[in-house]
Amino acid sequence: MVKRIKRAAVLGSGVMGSGIAAHLANVGIPTLLLDIVPQELTKEEEAKGLTLEHKEVRNRFVNQALQKLLKQKPAPLMSKEKLALIETGNFADDFHRLAEADWIIEVVVENLAVKKQVFQKIDEVRKQGSIVSSNTSGISIEAMAEGRSEDFKKHFLGTHFFNPPRYLKLLEIIPTKDTDPNVVSFMKKFGEDVLGKGVVMAKDTPNFIANRIGTYGLLVTVREMMKGGYSIGEVDSITGPLIGRPKSATFRTLDVVGLDTFVHVANNVFEKVEGEEKEAFRVPDFMKAMLEKGWLGSKSGQGFFLKKGKDILELNYETLEYEPSKKLKTPAVEMSKQAKGLGNKLKALVYADDRAGALLWNILSPVLIYSAQLLGEIADDIVAIDRAMKWGFGWEMGPFETWDAIGVEASVRKMQTEGRKVPAWVTDMLDRGHTTFYKSENGNVLFYDKGEYKAIEENAKVIHIKRLKEEKGVIKKNSGASLIDVGDDVALLEFHSPNNAIGLDIVQMINYALEEVDRNYKGLVIGNQGKNFCVGANLAMILMEAQDDNYFEIDLVVRQFQQAMMNIKYSPKPVVAAPFAMTLGGGTEICLPTARIQAAGETYMGLVEVGVGLIPGGGGNKELYIKHLSSMPNGVEFDLQKVANKVFETIAMAKVSTSAIEAKEMNFLNEKDGITMNGDHLLYDAKQAVISLYDSGYQPPVRKKIPVVGETGYATLLLAAQSMHLSGYITDHDLTIAKKLAYVIAGGKVPFGTEVDEQYLLDLEREAFLSLVGEPKSQARMQHMLVKGKPLRN
């Protein structure tokens, strides 16, 4: 068996195949992508005088798929540079090259006969010990392996990715009876540690776990809508974030997935099950009519919804005509909006005696019962089912967590009163006096399994801040942040202000944390497990002080923030930032001066203050400039002006990385900084970075002077800004901001090449920041961002 996957091959370059190849490239694995040879020439190929024998023609399908990867949104590639890791070929000319691959993934058409043919050919050319898997969404894995060699069968399994493979966390692994257990455990570890996935072990049943329950739930919703006379828009208005589901709710999700794909997945179960369950997977006639009309959703321009100008229309499923979109408003909906926490929101909804309550109860209760009925058939435990739904369908709570939230006893009573058949193991659990599927004990979460509670098995790299706090308490906390002991003599500073926005409370905790760590710890991790790492400074506070002409107060806050950043930079003990998701403005400014950044693969970094009429004020301009300078090779002459231009452009255009890999290309991260593909492992990796720095005798950086481009460089930067203004690319106020920024980056009125102190640059930055805070147009931008959540171009 392979010990490491150095090279991979993907067979089939459709949306899934090319997406999987892109994700393998994202994690640095060279991948061969193959597809069939075209049978006829296109008009363009004929015009070029090409024949069916030309390589360009023979690799057409796969090369077209590669071009689509560059245009797709959201981007399947974390950086366009990663495309170089994907090599293209075709089944006829390049199949023998599968012998080079450590892992071969089949993603061809969903047809058992075709797949078996492909596996027969793979068996003939693969090297012994290489892993082979199928990305089928529901065809039997056992059936595919029939007739194959013993070594093939030992190394064969299902690996079901969810679309899009870069962003959706779930990877279902489906072994057969012949799969070597070592192969299964290797692929689980590889899936989690290298691919960054949440891996769930599934059984070889139709549609495995997530698609089986997800499809059932969607069809239950459609039937309840028809039975209760609700509209498509009404259903979507209450089956999204209100109940802990994605914004796309029910029908918008179907539009994104594609009705053809959904019907195929539903039919897959429909053909393989019997009785009541078969009926549950029968696709309603109106959906079949939509299919015939080609109304497949986003890819065909219309589906359950149709965009007309700025209006979004919903389909009337009875007349198949489009109407203005409606929302369901009831007392229960309003009550749930006031309730704190998802559990309380759900309780307020499902037991309510109104149209929203009735619909949600009639959707949720069958899904909970169905999930319980399938335990043992599709997965070994409730944890696998819950995780599959959360990671594959974006549910905030899995079915059994949801059941706990609404109360198992109360809901089962209601189900039985209505004549619903609750599985015997659930009623048996209640009879034994156990009233929840999960419970906490000594900081561990236990789950109910065959009459007893067991600890949830987890990758050793998973750290739960909430559990740590329950178990060990906190060292110190205030309204904005907490300092926590994360073991091994490492402390963690967790932000928990609204949106993790930086105010004086966080600044105070940074300073306290650094002092405490210097006395008692090896180092500090700055990280959290919120929705985003940090979206910047507390804008509302800055605007309020500015409107009250409290500039002395703002000056004080900015000085304190700058000083805290310098304290991080020159801390005697190593500080490691662990950014993820939105890491904007002040969030980026906190990361830049740390000894090391350990970023999640999905980290969107940028100094975006221009969007609110300001420039970075916490040292971000200086630190990004220093990061660029430090990336220059030692002893080699470089163009200082080019460095200044690059930094100016990044900040003036408010450029944000679309991944941590791109953040590295933009110099927000340098070569020493690390990237963690699995967000669940981020704090662990950051903690290891602290320990490694400490153990190797960490010394803070020596304070050095910084060369700047001065007056002549300022003139160059200004020229670039003015030409953008003249071409209508930026507004008058953008130009005002750009002038201030140029002055700061250039280092003011000094000769080119002058070496200046960091404090000098911080003073320039603070003065520019304060002068912009006083500008009415900047205040209008701040106001707009706070009210509308998007930038104003004034």
Side-chain angles (χ1 to χ4, degrees), residues 255 290 293-303 306:
D255 273 353
M290 287 173 70
K293 288 175 180 287
W295 297 354
L296 308 179
S298 306
K299 58 184 163 191
S300 67
Q302 71 186 96
L306 172 69

Side-chain angles (χ1 to χ4, degrees), residues 353-397:
D353 189 15
D354 65 19
R355 289 191 79 223
L359 178 62
L360 287 172
W361 171 258
N362 288 334
I363 288 170
L364 269 182
S365 47
V367 172
L368 302 183
I369 290 169
Y370 189 61
S371 303
Q373 282 169 346
L374 291 174
L375 182 67
E377 183 187 330
I378 61 171
D380 282 330
D381 56 55
I382 63 170
V383 179
I385 293 175
D386 277 349
R387 284 177 172 171
M389 298 320 297
K390 290 193 288 187
W391 296 342
F393 275 72
W395 292 11
E396 217 174 298
M397 288 180 178

Side-chain angles (χ1 to χ4, degrees), residues 383-428:
V383 179
I385 293 175
D386 277 349
R387 284 177 172 171
M389 298 320 297
K390 290 193 288 187
W391 296 342
F393 275 72
W395 292 11
E396 217 174 298
M397 288 180 178
F400 297 98
E401 290 167 329
T402 301
W403 213 333
D404 274 353
I406 64 170
V408 184
E409 285 179 294
S411 58
V412 166
R413 262 199 312 275
K414 187 170 180 190
M415 288 167 183
Q416 288 174 327
T417 307
E418 294 172 348
R420 298 182 194 265
K421 279 200 309 215
V422 178
W425 74 264
V426 176
T427 52
D428 176 62

